[in-house]
C-alpha cells in the first residue's frame, strides 16, 4: 500500500442475529481505529427485514467513511445447513451494498483472519480481541466480539495487501500496485 495516502478499510462480520463492523484508517503503516460496532438484528422476526437492515447499514458505512475496500469474513460450514444459508445471504447483502458504491471487496476465512492477527488460525475470539487491542491501542472493551471480529477482518485485509506489495517489491520489479500493473500489463484482465 502507498504509505503516504490514508487508506480506509471497512471490515464486516456478517450475521443474522448480530452483524459486526470495524472501520480503520492506515497512513504511513499506522493503523487507527475509526469506528467499531454492531447491528442487532434479533429484534426483527422477518429474515428479509434483517437483510434490509444489513444492506442499509453497510450502505451507510460506505457513504459515511468512503473506504477504499471492504473486507468481509467468509461464512464457515457448521453442522446446521439452514444457518449456513442464512449467513450466506447476510454476507451477500453486505457485499452487494459495498459493490453498489463501487467499493472493492475481499473475503477472508475465519482461520485466515485469526492467523493474520494472532499467528494462530485456531485462536479464540477473546485472543483475537486482545491482540487487536495491542496492535491498535484502543481502550474500550467491546460488549460483542462480533465487532472485534469485523475489526480483525479489516486489519487482516491491510496486512494481506501490505504483504502482497512487499513480496513484489522484494523482487525489485514493483514498489506499488501502479508500478506492478505497469510492469505486468499481461496480468490485467
Amino acid at each position: 500500500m502507498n504509505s503516504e495516502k490514508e487508506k480506509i478499510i471497512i471490515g464486516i462480520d456478517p450475521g443474522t442475529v448480530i452483524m459486526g463492523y470495524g472501520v480503520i484508517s492506515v497512513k504511513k503503516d499506522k493503523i487507527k481505529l475509526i469506528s467499531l460496532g454492531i447491528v442487532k438484528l434479533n429484534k426483527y422476526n422477518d429474515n428479509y427485514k434483517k437483510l434490509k437492515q444489513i444492506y442499509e447499514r453497510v450502505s451507510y458505512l460506505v457513504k459515511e467513511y468512503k473506504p477504499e475496500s471492504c473486507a468481509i469474513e467468509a461464512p464457515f460450514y457448521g453442522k446446521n445447513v439452514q444457518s449456513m444459508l442464512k449467513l450466506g445471504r447476510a454476507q451477500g447483502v453486505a457485499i452487494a451494498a459495498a459493490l453498489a458504491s463501487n467499493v472493492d471487496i475481499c473475503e477472508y476465512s475465519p482461520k485466515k483472519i485469526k492467523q493474520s492477527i494472532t499467528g494462530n488460525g485456531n485462536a479464540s475470539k477473546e485472543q483475537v480481541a486482545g491482540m487487536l487491542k495491542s496492535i491498535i491501542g484502543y481502550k474500550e472493551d467491546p460488549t460483542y466480539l462480533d465487532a472485534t471480529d469485523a475489526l480483525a477482518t479489516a486489519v487482516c485485509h491491510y496486512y494481506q495487501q501490505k504483504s502482497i506489495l512487499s513480496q513484489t517489491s522484494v523482487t525489485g520489479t514493483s514498489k506499488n500496485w501502479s508500478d506492478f500493473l505497469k510492469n505486468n500489463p499481461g496480468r490485467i484482465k
Side-chain angles (χ1 to χ4, degrees), residues 104-119:
D104 290 338
I105 299 288
C106 242
E107 180 181 42
Y108 298 97
S109 71
K111 206 172 208 47
K112 178 69 172 180
I113 295 165
K114 291 174 182 179
Q115 175 72 34
S116 180
I117 302 302
T118 68

Side-chain angles (χ1 to χ4, degrees), residues 38-161:
I38 60 159
V39 178
K40 288 185 180 180
L41 300 162
N42 55 353
K43 60 186 170 192
Y44 302 100
N45 292 327
D46 184 344
N47 285 327
Y48 299 112
K49 286 184 181 175
K50 291 179 181 186
L51 296 176
K52 181 178 185 259
Q53 288 301 311
I54 293 168
Y55 186 90
E56 288 175 354
R57 179 51 72 98
V58 173
S59 295
Y60 168 79
L61 291 169
V62 167
K63 285 178 185 151
E64 178 75 13
Y65 298 109
K66 298 169 184 47
E68 170 186 283
S69 52
C70 180
I72 192 159
E73 185 174 311
F76 59 93
Y77 180 72
K79 293 181 180 178
N80 187 333
V81 176
Q82 280 302 98
S83 293
M84 179 67 176
L85 287 171
K86 288 177 184 176
L87 192 57
R89 288 177 182 157
Q91 183 197 36
V93 167
I95 290 170
L99 288 175
S101 294
N102 295 314
V103 175
D104 290 338
I105 299 288
C106 242
E107 180 181 42
Y108 298 97
S109 71
K111 206 172 208 47
K112 178 69 172 180
I113 295 165
K114 291 174 182 179
Q115 175 72 34
S116 180
I117 302 302
T118 68
N120 175 5
N122 295 315
S124 69
K125 288 176 175 279
E126 292 80 8
Q127 288 171 316
V128 170
M131 186 60 82
L132 284 169
K133 211 170 184 177
S134 68
I135 292 169
I136 298 174
Y138 62 90
K139 305 281 185 255
E140 64 279 348
D141 285 322
T143 306
Y144 295 93
L145 294 173
D146 305 85
T148 51
D149 283 353
L151 180 60
T153 306
V155 173
C156 172
H157 179 66
Y158 166 65
Y159 287 162
Q160 296 307 306
Q161 295 305 302

